[in-house]
Amino acid sequence: MKTRFAWMMILALLVAPAAKAITPSWSYEAAKITNGSFPIRSACMMPATGKLTRIGMKGAEGMSKESEDWAAALESLVEAHLKTANVEMTPAMSVGTSSASAEEVQQAVLQVAEKYNGIAAQINRKPKEIGKGRYTLGDEVALLPCAAKADVIVFVAAEGQVTTGGKKAMSLLVGGAIPYASLVLTMADAKTGEIVAFARMSNAENFGEKFVAQANDVFGKALDKQFGKLRLGTYQKAHP
Amino acid sequence: MKNRRLAWGVAGCVLALAAVPVQRVCQAQEESREATAFQFTDIDKQVLDEAKTMDEVFQHKGLVMHDADLQAYLDMVGRRVLGSRAAPENVSFQFRVLRDPMVQAFALPNGTVYVTIGLLSLLQNEAQLAGVLAHETSHVYERHGYLENRSVRKKMLTINILQIAASAVPIGPNVGTVVSAFGLALQLGSMASSVALVASVFGYSREMEHEADSDGLIAMTAAHYSPAELAKGFGLLKDDSHLEFEPFTTFYRDHPKLEERQTFAAGYAANHAAEKLDSGDEKGYLAKVAPAICAEIESDLRSRRARTAVARATRLNGIFPENLRYRTLLADAYRALGPKTPLPTDAEKTDHGQSEHRKEYFKMTEQEEAARLLKTPEGQAALKESQDKAEGLYKNVLSDDANFSAALRGLGFLYEDEGRYEEAATEYKTYLSVEAGTSMDHMRMERRLAAVQKLADAAASTGPAKN
């Protein structure tokens, strides 16, 4: 028993740093991105969604406020990386030159989010089908004032789980919930609503309560890698 | 030696397992005492904070509907149900309409009661709404959110402790199964989100829900609303639940519970049959909640719920046939229905049919589902019927008001779907001349016009085949 426990601790210590460093990521894109006929130089950023759960010895607890903070941090992170690639960014809530009120724009954002939620399940099941132009939000996306000048509309959705100290110790002993963070990024043509790009990245590190501060550590490199593959902005030049 | 250690380990597990039912009895007694003399603990205060955050998130994301008349109506019914009862500690009752097409209502432990546009659209009168609000406020009065949270936390801790105890026992042929069983239970428990608020939204324990039903019926009767209407409301929920696939079963859709609740409410109402209590008329109720119903229909159309959109719009149009907006929404709903029938077939209502519907929802896009239906004669017939109805309704609206922009746009979309590009272009041009150049839809419609004009020109240049 003591020997087995010791080996488990050694294995956990060996695996942990490696898990920290790795954020596997995948992306899929439409043919018009692969062949360079649809350059992405400007984007409209939808409000990001994030769901964090804390798993402790007394079960799971939602983290509503922390989820909102995390979503905002990830939205800023993705925006910053896109700006670094010389992609011009506009928030979806921006009224622009339209005569719409802020509340009307907010409702339009909700409507577009609703359309996205309606096909998100299919996209997540078979993201490769993006290459065949299978998925579309319809041209209602053009209701957003920001869509007038944008090439794409960007959706960011994240999910994560953190474990408390007691739960972590318990997981080492008997297995159970593991910490993780995953990010899904989807891009839709701002004129037609066609889904043109999809990227998914996951990390198994227990970033504990530093999910906001460590957002770039966890996802930064994976974002750069996938933006390069998607031929965004200056990434197109750096990764022909 | 080894056998003795194994025996002690098994005995320890058996004792721990035996403690669980004993603990359950003690917990039930404790919960009963707790409800009558509720003292806030630190854990309860965390739940309260979480509830406040949820309120803020709903507002921040624009999910709360802001319509002054609708809000005033909801507040009026809510206040009437509350009567002169004082609010408990840390409770401030507020009633809000949530922009969600799912049929649902819930109350957070801090007293915020949410009713979705989906539920408002289904109910028939004010008394049914009062019954829902009375049920939900009862959960708050009885502190069910906090009690459920405490109960589940204790159970989770028990499961965790049992698992640690089990893991200390050496693996053997009799003990291995127990350990893996505990592991599985822990995995399932760990996947749950915030217990108190999930319970608020999706339903509490059977006993708590029954208590809320009972208290709610008393409260609505005291407010002079007929409890028979709540029983009728449960019937409506049952009949409506097969229209669409829904990703999860909410408390207001759960069938075995609905039947039990309907029977209980009907029994209570029978004891109060002699009293003259208010039901409220359907027309008056619909006039008050019409903004919510319109929002719900539009949401249904975006969420692959065309059948529900047709049902709601038919009802609204039937009561207010002179209203052009409602007639246009009905036309939009028929256009979205396409090759589907307005009501599910008998085969679709069966468990197998529902299961197939669920699979299709996740496997196919809306366009693929329509294409599959159009391969059948029934789908083609349904499409023709839907399109004819939609066209008739749009033209009917435009005969009353030739510049009603929503109908112009809808008719243009319909013509475009049917390949009648020249006619579509005509409707789009009229729409663009009527609507302001800075309207949110202008750019989209300009692009549509350009696209159909190209298609119309191409069709015209190929022309009919010459003999």
Side-chain angles (χ1 to χ4, degrees), chain A residues 1 55 57-65 68 98-100 103-104 106-108 110-111 114-115 121-122 125 134-136 139-140 142-143 148 167 170 174 176 191, chain B residues 50 53 57 60-63 66 99 101 153 156-157 160 163-164 167 186-187 190 192-194 299 302-304 361-365 367-368 438 440-441 443-444 447-448:
Chain A
M1 173 67 190
I55 309 291
M57 287 293 286
K58 292 191 178 178
E61 294 164 11
M63 301 163 75
S64 298
K65 175 137 190 359
E68 291 297 296
S98 81
S99 59
E103 188 168 346
E104 283 172 327
Q106 186 182 49
Q107 288 310 309
L110 268 181
Q111 288 167 27
E114 210 167 12
K115 294 285 282 187
Q122 286 89 10
R125 275 187 85 242
R134 185 183 174 203
Y135 308 111
T136 181
D139 67 353
E140 251 183 88
L143 283 172
K167 189 66 188 168
M170 182 167 166
V174 299
K191 309 294 181 287
Chain B
E50 189 86 3
T53 304
V57 168
H60 173 67
K61 288 187 182 300
L63 290 169
H66 293 293
R99 288 182 181 275
R153 284 172 66 85
M156 283 310 302
L157 188 58
N160 281 319
Q163 190 173 28
I164 291 172
S167 74
L186 188 63
Q187 289 290 333
S190 295
S193 180
S194 175
S299 181
R302 286 188 294 271
S303 313
R304 291 175 73 172
Y361 183 90
F362 285 108
K363 278 167 90 172
M364 292 187 190
T365 62
Q367 294 78 14
E368 288 163 355
T438 50
M440 289 177 78
D441 212 11
M443 195 165 299
R444 168 169 82 134
R447 277 197 216 108
R448 281 251 185 172

Coordinates of all heavy atoms in Angstrom, one line a residue, chain A residues 1 55 57-65 68 98-100 103-104 106-108 110-111 114-115 121-122 125 134-136 139-140 142-143 148 167 170 174 176 191, chain B residues 50 53 57 60-63 66 99 101 153 156-157 160 163-164 167 186-187 190 192-194 299 302-304 361-365 367-368 438 440-441 443-444 447-448:
Chain A
M1 N 0.8 -1.2 0.0 CA 0.0 0.0 0.0 C 0.9 1.2 0.0 O 0.7 2.2 -0.8 CB -0.9 0.0 1.2 CG -1.7 1.3 1.4 SD -2.9 1.5 0.1 CE -3.4 3.2 0.5
I55 N -14.7 22.2 -7.9 CA -15.1 20.8 -7.3 C -14.4 20.7 -6.0 O -13.1 20.8 -5.9 CB -14.6 19.7 -8.3 CG1 -15.1 19.9 -9.7 CG2 -15.1 18.4 -7.7 CD1 -16.6 19.8 -9.9
M57 N -14.7 19.0 -1.7 CA -15.1 17.8 -1.0 C -16.6 17.7 -0.7 O -17.2 16.7 -0.5 CB -14.4 17.7 0.4 CG -12.9 17.4 0.3 SD -12.6 15.7 -0.3 CE -13.1 14.8 1.1
K58 N -17.3 18.9 -0.8 CA -18.7 18.9 -0.6 C -19.5 19.0 -1.9 O -20.5 19.6 -2.0 CB -19.1 20.0 0.4 CG -18.6 19.7 1.8 CD -19.2 20.6 2.8 CE -18.7 20.3 4.2 NZ -19.2 21.2 5.2
G59 N -18.8 18.6 -3.0 CA -19.5 18.6 -4.3 C -19.0 19.8 -5.1 O -18.1 20.5 -4.8
A60 N -19.8 20.0 -6.2 CA -19.5 21.0 -7.1 C -20.2 22.3 -6.8 O -21.3 22.3 -6.2 CB -19.9 20.6 -8.5
E61 N -19.5 23.4 -7.1 CA -20.1 24.7 -6.8 C -19.9 25.6 -8.1 O -18.8 25.6 -8.7 CB -19.3 25.5 -5.7 CG -19.5 24.8 -4.3 CD -18.5 25.3 -3.3 OE1 -17.8 26.2 -3.6 OE2 -18.4 24.6 -2.3
G62 N -21.0 26.3 -8.4 CA -20.8 27.2 -9.6 C -20.0 28.4 -9.2 O -19.9 28.7 -8.0
M63 N -19.4 29.1 -10.1 CA -18.6 30.3 -9.9 C -19.1 31.3 -10.8 O -18.5 31.6 -11.8 CB -17.2 29.9 -10.1 CG -16.6 28.8 -9.2 SD -15.1 28.1 -9.8 CE -13.9 29.4 -9.4
S64 N -20.3 31.9 -10.5 CA -20.9 32.8 -11.5 C -20.0 34.0 -11.8 O -19.8 34.4 -12.9 CB -22.3 33.2 -11.0 OG -23.1 32.1 -10.9
K65 N -19.6 34.7 -10.7 CA -18.9 35.9 -10.9 C -17.5 35.6 -11.5 O -17.1 36.3 -12.4 CB -18.7 36.6 -9.5 CG -17.8 37.9 -9.6 CD -18.3 39.0 -8.8 CE -17.5 40.3 -9.1 NZ -16.4 40.3 -10.0
E68 N -17.8 35.0 -15.2 CA -18.0 36.3 -16.0 C -16.6 37.0 -16.1 O -16.2 37.4 -17.2 CB -18.9 37.3 -15.3 CG -20.4 36.8 -15.3 CD -20.9 36.7 -16.7 OE1 -21.0 37.8 -17.4 OE2 -21.3 35.6 -17.1
S98 N -25.2 53.2 -37.2 CA -26.7 52.9 -37.3 C -27.5 53.8 -36.3 O -26.9 54.3 -35.4 CB -26.9 51.4 -37.1 OG -27.0 51.2 -35.7
S99 N -28.8 53.8 -36.6 CA -29.6 54.6 -35.7 C -30.2 53.8 -34.5 O -31.0 54.2 -33.8 CB -30.8 55.2 -36.5 OG -31.5 54.1 -37.1
A100 N -29.7 52.6 -34.4 CA -30.2 51.7 -33.4 C -29.7 52.1 -32.0 O -28.6 52.7 -31.8 CB -29.7 50.2 -33.6
E103 N -29.9 49.2 -26.5 CA -30.7 48.0 -26.2 C -31.0 47.2 -27.5 O -31.0 46.0 -27.4 CB -32.0 48.5 -25.5 CG -32.7 47.2 -25.0 CD -33.8 47.6 -24.0 OE1 -33.9 48.7 -23.5 OE2 -34.7 46.7 -23.7
E104 N -31.3 47.9 -28.5 CA -31.6 47.2 -29.8 C -30.4 46.4 -30.3 O -30.5 45.3 -30.7 CB -32.0 48.2 -30.9 CG -33.5 48.7 -30.7 CD -33.8 49.8 -31.7 OE1 -32.9 50.6 -32.0 OE2 -35.0 49.9 -32.1
Q106 N -28.1 45.3 -28.3 CA -27.9 44.2 -27.4 C -28.8 43.0 -27.8 O -28.5 41.8 -27.7 CB -28.2 44.6 -26.0 CG -27.9 43.6 -24.9 CD -28.2 44.0 -23.5 OE1 -29.3 44.5 -23.2 NE2 -27.3 43.8 -22.6
Q107 N -30.1 43.4 -28.2 CA -31.0 42.3 -28.6 C -30.6 41.6 -29.8 O -30.7 40.4 -30.0 CB -32.4 42.9 -28.7 CG -33.1 43.3 -27.4 CD -33.0 42.1 -26.4 OE1 -33.4 41.0 -26.7 NE2 -32.5 42.4 -25.2
A108 N -30.0 42.4 -30.8 CA -29.4 41.8 -32.0 C -28.3 40.8 -31.7 O -28.2 39.7 -32.2 CB -29.0 42.9 -33.0
L110 N -28.0 39.2 -28.9 CA -28.6 38.0 -28.3 C -29.2 37.1 -29.4 O -29.1 35.8 -29.3 CB -29.8 38.4 -27.4 CG -29.5 38.6 -25.9 CD1 -30.7 39.0 -25.2 CD2 -28.9 37.4 -25.3
Q111 N -29.8 37.7 -30.4 CA -30.4 36.9 -31.5 C -29.3 36.1 -32.3 O -29.5 35.0 -32.6 CB -31.1 37.9 -32.5 CG -32.4 38.4 -31.9 CD -33.0 39.5 -32.7 OE1 -32.7 39.6 -33.9 NE2 -33.7 40.4 -32.1
E114 N -28.2 33.3 -30.2 CA -29.2 32.3 -30.2 C -29.1 31.4 -31.4 O -29.2 30.2 -31.4 CB -30.6 32.9 -30.2 CG -31.7 32.1 -29.5 CD -32.9 32.9 -29.3 OE1 -33.1 34.0 -29.8 OE2 -33.8 32.4 -28.5
K115 N -28.8 32.0 -32.6 CA -28.6 31.3 -33.8 C -27.4 30.4 -33.7 O -27.3 29.2 -34.1 CB -28.5 32.2 -35.0 CG -29.7 33.0 -35.4 CD -30.8 32.2 -36.1 CE -30.4 32.0 -37.5 NZ -31.5 31.3 -38.3
A121 N -23.9 22.6 -31.4 CA -23.9 21.1 -31.1 C -23.4 20.4 -32.3 O -22.5 19.5 -32.3 CB -25.2 20.6 -30.7
Q122 N -23.9 20.7 -33.5 CA -23.5 20.1 -34.8 C -22.1 20.4 -35.1 O -21.3 19.5 -35.5 CB -24.4 20.5 -36.0 CG -25.8 19.9 -36.0 CD -26.8 20.8 -35.2 OE1 -26.5 21.9 -34.8 NE2 -28.0 20.3 -35.0
R125 N -19.7 18.4 -32.9 CA -19.7 17.0 -33.3 C -18.8 16.7 -34.5 O -18.1 15.8 -34.5 CB -21.1 16.5 -33.6 CG -21.9 16.1 -32.4 CD -23.3 15.4 -32.8 NE -23.1 14.0 -33.1 CZ -23.4 13.5 -34.3 NH1 -23.7 14.2 -35.3 NH2 -23.2 12.2 -34.5
R134 N -20.9 23.4 -44.5 CA -22.1 22.8 -44.0 C -22.9 23.7 -43.1 O -24.1 23.6 -43.0 CB -21.8 21.5 -43.3 CG -23.0 20.7 -42.9 CD -22.6 19.5 -42.1 NE -23.8 18.8 -41.6 CZ -23.8 18.0 -40.5 NH1 -22.7 17.7 -39.9 NH2 -24.9 17.4 -40.1
Y135 N -22.2 24.6 -42.4 CA -22.9 25.3 -41.3 C -23.0 26.8 -41.6 O -22.1 27.4 -42.1 CB -22.1 25.2 -40.0 CG -21.8 23.7 -39.6 CD1 -20.4 23.3 -39.7 CD2 -22.7 22.8 -39.2 CE1 -20.1 22.0 -39.3 CE2 -22.4 21.5 -38.9 CZ -21.1 21.1 -39.0 OH -20.8 19.8 -38.6
T136 N -24.2 27.3 -41.3 CA -24.4 28.7 -41.5 C -25.3 29.3 -40.4 O -26.3 28.6 -39.9 CB -25.0 29.1 -42.9 OG1 -25.1 30.5 -43.0 CG2 -26.3 28.4 -43.1
D139 N -28.0 35.1 -42.9 CA -27.6 36.4 -43.1 C -28.1 37.4 -42.0 O -27.9 38.6 -42.1 CB -27.8 37.0 -44.5 CG -29.3 37.1 -44.8 OD1 -30.2 36.7 -43.9 OD2 -29.7 37.6 -45.9
E140 N -28.8 36.9 -41.0 CA -29.3 37.7 -39.9 C -28.1 38.3 -39.2 O -28.2 39.3 -38.4 CB -30.1 36.9 -38.9 CG -31.6 37.2 -38.9 CD -32.4 36.4 -37.9 OE1 -32.4 36.9 -36.8 OE2 -32.9 35.4 -38.2
A142 N -25.9 40.0 -40.3 CA -25.7 41.3 -40.8 C -26.5 42.4 -40.1 O -26.3 43.6 -40.3 CB -26.0 41.4 -42.3
L143 N -27.4 42.0 -39.2 CA -28.1 42.9 -38.4 C -27.2 43.7 -37.5 O -27.5 44.8 -37.0 CB -29.2 42.2 -37.5 CG -30.4 41.7 -38.2 CD1 -31.3 40.9 -37.3 CD2 -31.3 43.0 -38.7
A148 N -21.0 45.5 -40.7 CA -20.9 46.3 -41.9 C -19.4 46.3 -42.4 O -19.1 46.3 -43.5 CB -21.4 47.7 -41.7
K167 N -9.9 18.2 -2.5 CA -10.3 17.4 -3.6 C -9.1 16.9 -4.5 O -9.1 15.8 -5.0 CB -11.2 18.2 -4.5 CG -11.9 17.5 -5.6 CD -12.9 16.5 -5.0 CE -13.4 15.6 -6.1 NZ -14.1 14.5 -5.5
M170 N -7.5 14.1 -2.7 CA -8.4 13.0 -2.8 C -8.3 12.3 -4.2 O -8.3 11.1 -4.4 CB -9.8 13.4 -2.6 CG -10.7 12.2 -2.6 SD -12.3 12.5 -2.0 CE -13.1 11.1 -2.6
V174 N -7.7 8.4 -5.0 CA -8.7 7.5 -5.5 C -9.3 7.9 -6.8 O -10.2 7.3 -7.3 CB -9.9 7.4 -4.5 CG1 -9.5 6.9 -3.1 CG2 -10.6 8.8 -4.3
G176 N -10.9 10.7 -9.7 CA -12.1 11.5 -9.6 C -12.0 12.7 -10.5 O -11.3 12.7 -11.5
K191 N -21.1 38.7 -43.5 CA -22.1 39.0 -44.5 C -23.1 37.9 -44.7 O -24.3 38.1 -44.8 CB -21.5 39.4 -45.9 CG -20.3 40.4 -45.8 CD -20.8 41.8 -45.4 CE -19.7 42.8 -45.3 NZ -18.7 42.6 -44.2
Chain B
E50 N -24.3 34.1 -4.6 CA -24.4 33.5 -6.0 C -25.7 33.9 -6.7 O -25.7 34.2 -7.8 CB -24.3 32.0 -5.8 CG -24.1 31.2 -7.1 CD -22.7 31.1 -7.6 OE1 -21.8 31.5 -6.9 OE2 -22.5 30.5 -8.6
T53 N -25.5 37.4 -7.9 CA -24.7 37.4 -9.1 C -25.5 36.9 -10.3 O -25.4 37.5 -11.4 CB -23.4 36.5 -8.9 OG1 -22.7 37.0 -7.8 CG2 -22.5 36.6 -10.1
V57 N -26.0 38.9 -13.8 CA -25.6 38.3 -15.0 C -26.8 38.3 -16.0 O -26.6 38.7 -17.2 CB -25.1 36.8 -14.8 CG1 -25.0 36.1 -16.2 CG2 -23.8 36.9 -14.1
H60 N -27.2 41.9 -17.1 CA -26.0 42.3 -17.9 C -26.1 41.7 -19.4 O -25.7 42.4 -20.3 CB -24.8 41.9 -17.2 CG -23.5 42.1 -18.0 ND1 -23.1 43.4 -18.3 CD2 -22.6 41.3 -18.6 CE1 -22.0 43.3 -19.0 NE2 -21.7 42.0 -19.2
K61 N -26.6 40.5 -19.5 CA -26.6 39.8 -20.8 C -27.9 40.2 -21.6 O -28.1 39.6 -22.6 CB -26.5 38.3 -20.6 CG -25.1 37.8 -20.1 CD -25.0 36.3 -20.1 CE -23.7 35.8 -19.7 NZ -22.5 36.3 -20.4
G62 N -28.7 41.0 -21.0 CA -29.9 41.4 -21.7 C -31.0 40.4 -21.8 O -31.9 40.4 -22.6
L63 N -30.9 39.4 -20.8 CA -31.9 38.3 -20.8 C -33.2 38.7 -20.1 O -34.1 37.9 -20.2 CB -31.3 37.1 -20.2 CG -30.1 36.4 -21.0 CD1 -29.4 35.4 -20.2 CD2 -30.7 35.8 -22.3
H66 N -37.5 44.1 -20.8 CA -37.9 45.4 -20.2 C -39.0 45.9 -21.0 O -38.8 46.5 -22.1 CB -36.7 46.3 -20.3 CG -35.5 45.9 -19.4 ND1 -35.6 45.9 -18.0 CD2 -34.3 45.4 -19.7 CE1 -34.5 45.5 -17.5 NE2 -33.7 45.2 -18.5
R99 N -36.0 36.2 -21.1 CA -36.0 35.9 -22.6 C -35.5 34.5 -22.8 O -34.3 34.3 -23.2 CB -35.2 36.9 -23.3 CG -35.7 38.3 -23.4 CD -34.8 39.2 -24.2 NE -35.3 40.6 -24.2 CZ -36.2 41.0 -25.1 NH1 -36.7 40.2 -26.0 NH2 -36.6 42.3 -25.1
P101 N -37.2 30.7 -24.6 CA -38.4 30.1 -25.1 C -38.8 28.8 -24.3 O -39.9 28.3 -24.5 CB -38.0 29.8 -26.5 CG -36.6 29.7 -26.5 CD -36.1 30.6 -25.5
R153 N -24.8 18.8 0.1 CA -23.4 19.0 0.5 C -23.0 17.9 1.5 O -21.9 17.3 1.5 CB -23.1 20.4 1.1 CG -23.0 21.5 0.0 CD -23.0 22.8 0.6 NE -21.8 23.0 1.4 CZ -20.6 23.4 0.9 NH1 -20.5 23.6 -0.4 NH2 -19.6 23.6 1.7
M156 N -22.6 14.6 -0.3 CA -21.4 14.6 -1.1 C -20.2 14.3 -0.2 O -19.3 13.6 -0.5 CB -21.1 15.9 -1.9 CG -22.0 16.1 -3.1 SD -21.9 14.6 -4.2 CE -20.1 14.6 -4.5
L157 N -20.2 15.0 1.0 CA -19.1 14.8 1.9 C -19.1 13.3 2.4 O -18.1 12.7 2.5 CB -19.3 15.7 3.1 CG -18.1 15.8 4.1 CD1 -16.8 16.2 3.4 CD2 -18.4 16.8 5.2
N160 N -17.7 11.2 -0.3 CA -16.2 11.4 -0.4 C -15.5 10.7 0.7 O -14.5 10.0 0.5 CB -15.9 12.9 -0.3 CG -16.1 13.6 -1.6 OD1 -15.8 13.0 -2.7 ND2 -16.6 14.8 -1.6
Q163 N -15.4 7.0 0.2 CA -14.5 6.6 -0.8 C -13.1 6.6 -0.3 O -12.3 5.7 -0.6 CB -14.6 7.5 -2.0 CG -13.8 7.0 -3.2 CD -14.0 7.7 -4.5 OE1 -14.2 8.9 -4.5 NE2 -13.8 7.0 -5.6
I164 N -12.7 7.6 0.5 CA -11.4 7.6 1.1 C -11.2 6.3 2.0 O -10.2 5.6 2.0 CB -11.1 8.8 1.9 CG1 -11.0 10.0 1.0 CG2 -9.9 8.7 2.7 CD1 -11.0 11.4 1.7
S167 N -10.8 3.3 0.0 CA -9.5 3.2 -0.7 C -8.4 2.8 0.2 O -7.3 2.3 -0.2 CB -9.1 4.6 -1.3 OG -8.7 5.5 -0.3
L186 N -19.0 9.1 -7.2 CA -18.3 10.4 -7.0 C -18.2 11.1 -8.3 O -18.4 12.3 -8.4 CB -16.9 10.1 -6.4 CG -16.2 11.3 -6.0 CD1 -16.9 12.0 -4.9 CD2 -14.8 10.9 -5.5
Q187 N -17.9 10.4 -9.4 CA -17.8 11.0 -10.7 C -19.1 11.7 -11.1 O -19.1 12.8 -11.5 CB -17.5 9.9 -11.8 CG -16.1 9.4 -11.7 CD -15.0 10.4 -12.1 OE1 -15.3 11.3 -12.9 NE2 -13.8 10.2 -11.6
S190 N -19.7 14.7 -9.0 CA -18.8 15.8 -9.3 C -19.2 16.6 -10.5 O -18.8 17.8 -10.7 CB -17.4 15.3 -9.5 OG -16.9 14.7 -8.4
A192 N -22.1 17.8 -11.1 CA -23.2 18.7 -10.9 C -22.6 20.1 -10.7 O -21.5 20.3 -10.2 CB -23.9 18.3 -9.6
S193 N -23.4 21.1 -11.1 CA -23.0 22.5 -10.9 C -23.6 23.0 -9.6 O -23.9 22.2 -8.8 CB -23.6 23.3 -12.1 OG -23.3 24.6 -12.0
S194 N -23.6 24.3 -9.4 CA -24.0 24.8 -8.1 C -25.4 24.3 -7.7 O -26.4 24.5 -8.3 CB -24.1 26.3 -8.2 OG -24.6 26.9 -7.0
S299 N -38.1 34.2 -31.0 CA -37.1 33.3 -30.5 C -37.3 31.9 -31.0 O -36.3 31.2 -31.4 CB -37.1 33.3 -29.0 OG -36.1 32.5 -28.5
R302 N -35.9 31.4 -34.5 CA -34.4 31.4 -34.5 C -33.9 30.0 -34.0 O -32.7 29.7 -34.1 CB -33.8 32.5 -33.7 CG -33.9 33.9 -34.4 CD -33.1 34.9 -33.6 NE -33.6 35.1 -32.3 CZ -34.6 36.1 -32.1 NH1 -35.0 36.8 -33.0 NH2 -35.0 36.2 -30.8
S303 N -34.7 29.3 -33.2 CA -34.3 28.1 -32.5 C -34.8 26.8 -33.0 O -34.9 25.9 -32.2 CB -34.7 28.3 -31.0 OG -34.4 29.6 -30.5
R304 N -35.2 26.7 -34.2 CA -35.7 25.5 -34.8 C -37.0 25.0 -34.1 O -37.2 23.8 -33.9 CB -34.7 24.4 -34.8 CG -33.5 24.6 -35.7 CD -32.4 23.6 -35.5 NE -32.8 22.3 -36.1 CZ -32.0 21.3 -36.3 NH1 -30.8 21.4 -35.8 NH2 -32.4 20.1 -36.8
Y361 N -32.0 16.3 -34.2 CA -31.7 17.6 -33.8 C -30.2 17.8 -33.7 O -29.6 18.8 -34.1 CB -32.4 17.9 -32.5 CG -32.2 19.3 -31.9 CD1 -33.1 20.3 -32.3 CD2 -31.1 19.6 -31.1 CE1 -32.9 21.6 -31.8 CE2 -30.9 20.9 -30.6 CZ -31.8 21.9 -31.0 OH -31.7 23.2 -30.5
F362 N -29.5 16.8 -33.2 CA -28.1 16.9 -32.9 C -27.3 16.6 -34.2 O -26.1 17.0 -34.4 CB -27.6 16.1 -31.7 CG -28.0 16.7 -30.4 CD1 -29.0 16.1 -29.6 CD2 -27.4 17.8 -30.0 CE1 -29.3 16.7 -28.4 CE2 -27.7 18.4 -28.8 CZ -28.7 17.9 -28.0
K363 N -27.8 15.7 -35.0 CA -27.0 15.2 -36.2 C -27.2 16.1 -37.4 O -26.3 16.3 -38.2 CB -27.5 13.8 -36.6 CG -26.8 12.7 -35.7 CD -27.5 11.4 -35.9 CE -26.9 10.6 -37.0 NZ -27.4 9.2 -37.1
M364 N -28.4 16.7 -37.5 CA -28.6 17.5 -38.8 C -28.8 18.9 -38.5 O -29.3 19.3 -37.5 CB -30.0 17.0 -39.4 CG -29.9 15.6 -39.9 SD -31.5 15.3 -40.8 CE -31.4 13.6 -41.1
T365 N -28.4 19.7 -39.5 CA -28.7 21.2 -39.4 C -30.2 21.3 -39.8 O -30.8 20.4 -40.3 CB -27.9 22.0 -40.4 OG1 -28.1 21.5 -41.7 CG2 -26.4 21.8 -40.1
Q367 N -31.4 23.0 -42.3 CA -31.5 22.8 -43.8 C -31.5 21.3 -44.2 O -32.2 20.9 -45.1 CB -30.3 23.5 -44.5 CG -30.3 25.1 -44.3 CD -29.8 25.6 -43.0 OE1 -29.2 24.8 -42.2 NE2 -30.1 26.8 -42.7
E368 N -30.6 20.6 -43.5 CA -30.6 19.1 -43.8 C -31.9 18.4 -43.4 O -32.3 17.5 -44.1 CB -29.4 18.5 -43.1 CG -28.0 18.9 -43.7 CD -26.8 18.6 -42.8 OE1 -27.0 18.2 -41.6 OE2 -25.7 18.9 -43.3
T438 N -31.0 54.0 -42.3 CA -30.1 53.7 -41.2 C -30.7 52.5 -40.3 O -30.2 52.3 -39.3 CB -29.9 54.9 -40.3 OG1 -31.2 55.5 -39.9 CG2 -29.0 55.9 -41.0
M440 N -31.4 48.8 -38.9 CA -30.5 47.8 -38.7 C -30.5 46.7 -39.8 O -29.5 46.1 -40.1 CB -30.7 47.1 -37.4 CG -30.3 47.9 -36.2 SD -30.7 47.2 -34.6 CE -29.4 46.0 -34.5
D441 N -31.7 46.6 -40.5 CA -31.8 45.6 -41.5 C -31.5 46.1 -42.9 O -31.5 45.3 -43.8 CB -33.3 45.1 -41.4 CG -33.4 43.7 -41.8 OD1 -32.4 43.0 -41.8 OD2 -34.6 43.2 -42.0
M443 N -28.8 47.1 -44.6 CA -27.7 46.6 -45.4 C -27.9 45.1 -45.8 O -27.6 44.7 -46.9 CB -26.4 46.6 -44.5 CG -25.2 46.5 -45.3 SD -23.7 47.0 -44.4 CE -24.0 48.7 -44.1
R444 N -28.5 44.3 -44.9 CA -28.8 42.9 -45.2 C -29.8 42.9 -46.4 O -29.6 42.1 -47.3 CB -29.4 42.2 -44.0 CG -30.0 40.9 -44.3 CD -30.4 40.1 -43.1 NE -31.7 40.4 -42.5 CZ -32.6 39.5 -42.1 NH1 -32.3 38.3 -42.3 NH2 -33.7 39.9 -41.5
R447 N -28.2 43.7 -49.7 CA -27.5 42.6 -50.3 C -28.4 41.5 -50.8 O -28.1 40.9 -51.9 CB -26.6 42.0 -49.2 CG -25.3 42.7 -49.0 CD -24.3 41.8 -48.2 NE -23.6 42.7 -47.3 CZ -23.7 42.8 -46.0 NH1 -24.5 42.0 -45.4 NH2 -23.0 43.7 -45.3
R448 N -29.5 41.3 -50.2 CA -30.5 40.3 -50.7 C -31.0 40.8 -52.0 O -31.2 39.9 -52.9 CB -31.6 40.2 -49.6 CG -31.3 39.4 -48.4 CD -32.1 38.1 -48.5 NE -31.9 37.3 -47.3 CZ -32.6 36.2 -47.0 NH1 -33.5 35.8 -47.8 NH2 -32.3 35.6 -45.9

